[in-house]
Amino acid sequence: MMQTPRARKEQPVPSATVPRLSGYLRQLQEIQARGTATISSRLLAEAVGTNPAQIRKDLSYFGEFGIRGVGYEVDRLINELKKCLGLDHTWDTIIVGAGKLGTALARYRGFQKQGFNLVAMFDASRAVIGKNRGAGPVLSTQELGKYLKRHHVDIAIVTTPAAVAQTIIDRVVAAGVPSILNFAPIRAHAKKPAIVRQVDLSTELMTLSFYLKKHSSH
Amino acid sequence: MMQTPRARKEQPVPSATVPRLSGYLRQLQEIQARGTATISSRLLAEAVGTNPAQIRKDLSYFGEFGIRGVGYEVDRLINELKKCLGLDHTWDTIIVGAGKLGTALARYRGFQKQGFNLVAMFDASRAVIGKNRGAGPVLSTQELGKYLKRHHVDIAIVTTPAAVAQTIIDRVVAAGVPSILNFAPIRAHAKKPAIVRQVDLSTELMTLSFYLKKHSSH
């Protein structure tokens, strides 16, 4: 098998490229599951709904693994994408807010598979504390500070009500947790350098509503 | 009270502005709940974490409601934003996929409040069909076509496994549903003109992982 592994020095991957890499990885894992060993940039582009030039550009950031005239080796490309996306690590994750959404996330199957290790869940409600919502007994949010002193945590997922979300984020970030995935409908921010990502159901619903209104008034 | 309601002819609101309008609305509703009647663009800007010029520009798209030297009338601005975002309508909504995530969404309190009227839920699993997951007995996805012939539906929320999500979206769009909010980790598309929005947990987690890896390798 002829190979041209012209791997480049590591270049910084632009932030706009990262979500696309995760899309490529997902498609490649499906392609791998069907037993396909190599794939051309044209077919991969079709699978993810983009063009081959975009694929080649995006994949060039972390080395070139294409074989001229054959395409990409699926196994190898998956490994490289996983490494690039940090999915060769395990990230210790907590969920603060063990309501319906928190529980759904705790039981989300993709979670463990992608290397997110759910180590604890917290809630302020007496009715929930002590119950198993997917990660053993739910702890009281009052114990959050104590817990974070004793345990290493990489990611805090916040699914509390809006009114307390920023306070929780402040406490978690102050305790040294480097990244937050916030589902509460607030514009969350961190007082110390930390990575804060937002999943905003409320904005998505309002955006749909806006376009529906435009659509239905034609 | 001096008023300068120099309302303009309706201009199209740029798509990038829409998510910001939904953020303004959320903040204004909190401000209203605290009993505040007027707010300056400066204070509103602080509350949402932007600058006053951005606020004035965004709000100018659908008329001007500021009172010079006093600010915006909170009640009136809320009403205008709701109208602009289509939140003065009620949107009939179905959820396809009544698993953990679908159930969490069905029981999400913000839902009804924002005018999203959940009319039915569907699932393919016999263990789930007939159970109440927040919107009365879950129907079989086999009945989806028949249901959509008899009932008007504005929005389909898709929380099925990835493998069947596109097929479900195709069926729903073919039956005339004009908008989709997809939670399945696929790059969903519509074969007919329809509004498709994506909430992508998997990509969010991978993006966090990417930045964590960068962060921890310094």
Side-chain angles (χ1 to χ4, degrees):
Chain A
M1 214 168 183
M2 236 192 64
Q3 193 105 9
T4 53
R6 293 173 287 144
R8 296 185 191 176
K9 283 268 178 218
E10 259 194 44
Q11 273 188 303
V13 176
S15 57
T17 307
V18 177
R20 287 201 298 270
L21 295 182
S22 104
Y24 302 159
L25 176 57
R26 261 192 327 252
Q27 283 299 331
L28 284 162
Q29 284 171 328
E30 281 182 29
I31 288 160
Q32 186 184 46
R34 292 198 294 268
T36 308
T38 57
I39 187 161
S40 66
S41 50
R42 189 179 58 78
L43 284 176
L44 181 55
E46 269 174 29
V48 297
T50 182
N51 61 68
Q54 180 77 66
I55 301 257
R56 284 190 293 264
K57 182 162 178 277
D58 286 345
L59 296 184
S60 75
Y61 281 108
F62 56 102
E64 286 183 17
F65 299 95
I67 309 167
R68 200 168 292 274
V70 177
Y72 296 100
E73 270 186 278
V74 173
D75 289 356
R76 195 168 166 196
L77 190 49
I78 285 175
N79 286 340
E80 289 301 321
L81 281 168
K82 280 187 166 174
K83 225 193 285 173
C84 172
L85 290 166
L87 300 173
D88 53 344
H89 290 51
T90 296
W91 304 115
D92 290 332
T93 306
I94 61 169
I95 295 179
V96 187
K100 294 283 182 314
L101 181 59
T103 306
L105 292 172
R107 290 178 170 156
Y108 170 53
R109 276 184 225 130
F111 223 68
Q112 297 279 347
K113 224 172 60 187
Q114 288 173 12
F116 299 91
N117 181 32
L118 185 59
V119 292
M121 290 174 81
F122 295 85
D123 203 280
S125 158
R126 276 198 187 184
V128 174
I129 294 165
K131 300 251 166 77
N132 184 359
R133 292 287 166 96
V138 172
L139 305 175
S140 163
T141 40
Q142 295 190 328
E143 294 176 58
L144 195 50
K146 205 169 76 183
Y147 182 91
L148 293 173
K149 262 186 209 149
R150 292 183 189 167
H151 300 85
H152 172 80
V153 169
D154 295 299
I155 301 173
I157 298 181
V158 177
T159 59
T160 64
V164 296
Q166 187 61 56
T167 309
I168 293 290
I169 292 169
D170 290 344
R171 283 170 61 190
V172 162
V173 168
V177 175
S179 74
I180 307 287
L181 185 59
N182 176 45
F183 285 80
I186 59 160
R187 191 179 286 234
H189 59 271
K191 284 180 182 159
K192 290 206 315 185
I195 307 146
V196 180
R197 306 274 310 173
Q198 184 90 25
V199 178
D200 197 335
L201 299 184
S202 166
T203 296
E204 283 303 329
L205 283 170
M206 290 194 198
T207 306
L208 265 187
S209 167
F210 172 81
Y211 286 110
L212 270 169
K213 196 199 165 187
K214 248 173 79 169
H215 179 89
S216 59
S217 62
H218 282 316
Chain B
M1 216 168 181
M2 234 190 68
Q3 193 105 6
T4 53
R6 293 173 288 146
R8 296 184 191 178
K9 282 266 176 221
E10 258 193 44
Q11 272 190 306
V13 177
S15 57
T17 308
V18 177
R20 286 201 299 270
L21 295 182
S22 104
Y24 302 159
L25 176 58
R26 262 194 323 256
Q27 283 299 330
L28 284 163
Q29 284 170 329
E30 283 181 30
I31 288 160
Q32 187 184 46
R34 291 198 296 267
T36 308
T38 57
I39 187 161
S40 66
S41 51
R42 189 178 58 79
L43 283 176
L44 182 56
E46 268 175 30
V48 298
T50 182
N51 60 69
Q54 179 76 66
I55 300 255
R56 286 192 291 263
K57 182 160 179 278
D58 287 344
L59 296 184
S60 75
Y61 281 108
F62 56 103
E64 286 183 17
F65 299 94
I67 309 169
R68 200 168 292 276
V70 176
Y72 297 100
E73 269 185 280
V74 172
D75 289 357
R76 196 168 166 194
L77 191 50
I78 285 175
N79 286 341
E80 288 303 320
L81 281 167
K82 279 187 165 174
K83 223 194 286 174
C84 173
L85 290 167
L87 300 174
D88 53 343
H89 290 52
T90 296
W91 305 113
D92 289 333
T93 307
I94 60 170
I95 295 179
V96 186
K100 294 283 181 313
L101 181 60
T103 306
L105 291 173
R107 290 177 171 156
Y108 170 53
R109 277 183 225 131
F111 222 69
Q112 297 279 348
K113 223 173 60 185
Q114 288 172 13
F116 299 92
N117 181 29
L118 185 58
V119 292
M121 291 174 80
F122 296 85
D123 202 281
S125 158
R126 276 199 189 186
V128 174
I129 294 165
K131 299 249 166 78
N132 183 359
R133 292 288 166 93
V138 172
L139 305 175
S140 163
T141 40
Q142 294 189 330
E143 295 176 60
L144 195 49
K146 205 169 74 184
Y147 182 91
L148 292 174
K149 262 185 211 152
R150 291 183 191 167
H151 299 85
H152 172 81
V153 170
D154 297 298
I155 302 174
I157 298 181
V158 176
T159 58
T160 63
V164 297
Q166 187 60 56
T167 309
I168 292 290
I169 291 169
D170 290 344
R171 283 172 61 192
V172 162
V173 169
V177 176
S179 73
I180 307 288
L181 184 60
N182 175 45
F183 285 80
I186 59 161
R187 191 179 287 233
H189 59 270
K191 283 178 184 159
K192 290 206 315 185
I195 308 147
V196 180
R197 306 274 311 174
Q198 183 92 27
V199 178
D200 195 335
L201 299 183
S202 167
T203 296
E204 283 303 331
L205 283 169
M206 289 192 197
T207 306
L208 265 188
S209 167
F210 172 81
Y211 286 109
L212 271 169
K213 196 199 165 189
K214 248 174 77 171
H215 179 91
S216 59
S217 62
H218 281 316

